[in-house]
Amino acid sequence: SATSTGGDLAIDVTTPGLGYYLVYNGGTKKTNPSKIKWNTLVSLTSTLPNAEAYAKAKFSTFDKKVDDQNVQIGQKVNFTLDGFHMPNTKGYSGYVMTFTDKMSDKLTLNEDVTIMIGTENITSITGVSVTYADNGFTVTIDATKFQGETYLEKDIVITYSAVVNNK
């Protein structure tokens, strides 16, 4: 049996003995979408009475949103990628998250990617890079640089824009 605190990020587990356990905090997308948070595999190989296991991330899905789908040649289109969460990388020496998008030939990317964790703009912070190439971009985030209550399990939102061209 384990007792822990931490609100939404902790649960209590009682196991029948040593072995491997999938700790799952309940819910499925169909039965309870608000309950999908995380799961983690725990290997109990000791009879020590207390242990901590850290889920490395919430269950993340993402959405790509477009602000206006009725645009004309020369108009700007704004995009948002969201639904990602900053994972718990405690104990990791490296944990890199990569996001990419490439515009269709009817759009010309503006090099204006912005990355937010919660309400903080992290676009220019050490551990984050944006690379532009071939009418697209790649965002790389070293998640080990963004730990602690300020960032843990906060939403990651990436915004950018493109202009409709005449191709």
Side-chain angles (χ1 to χ4, degrees):
S1 177
T3 303
S4 60
T5 60
D8 197 32
L9 300 177
I11 63 173
D12 295 331
V13 177
T14 301
T15 63
L18 300 179
Y20 294 92
Y21 298 92
L22 178 65
V23 179
Y24 174 67
N25 74 330
T28 66
K29 191 167 187 171
K30 289 183 179 180
T31 62
N32 194 349
S34 66
K35 291 280 284 180
I36 294 177
K37 299 212 188 315
W38 51 263
N39 57 51
T40 190
L41 185 62
V42 179
S43 172
L44 298 178
T45 58
S46 169
T47 57
L48 294 175
N50 298 311
E52 292 182 2
Y54 295 93
K56 297 304 175 188
K58 281 185 176 181
F59 176 79
S60 290
T61 59
F62 69 92
D63 292 314
K64 181 177 179 180
K65 299 173 186 167
V66 180
D67 69 341
D68 187 359
Q69 295 188 13
N70 298 314
V71 291
Q72 304 296 319
I73 292 173
Q75 288 183 307
K76 181 178 173 181
V77 180
N78 295 306
F79 296 92
T80 302
L81 294 176
D82 66 8
F84 300 100
H85 309 283
M86 184 54 68
N88 180 348
T89 60
K90 184 175 181 176
Y92 276 63
S93 60
Y95 189 109
V96 176
M97 302 170 69
T98 304
F99 306 88
T100 61
D101 198 2
K102 184 172 179 169
M103 301 295 103
S104 73
D105 63 348
K106 304 228 183 280
L107 295 168
T108 303
L109 178 68
N110 295 319
E111 294 186 357
D112 61 353
V113 170
T114 300
I115 305 126
M116 304 288 290
I117 297 179
T119 59
E120 184 177 347
N121 184 334
I122 65 161
T123 308
S124 300
I125 292 179
T126 300
V128 176
S129 68
V130 181
T131 306
Y132 298 99
D134 301 322
N135 202 31
F137 67 88
T138 299
V139 169
T140 304
I141 301 172
D142 179 352
T144 62
K145 305 288 186 199
F146 298 96
Q147 291 306 292
E149 292 301 314
T150 302
Y151 303 109
L152 187 61
E153 299 297 336
K154 298 285 195 267
D155 292 335
I156 300 171
V157 178
I158 301 171
T159 57
Y160 53 100
S161 66
V163 174
V164 179
N165 61 46
N166 60 0
K167 289 185 182 178

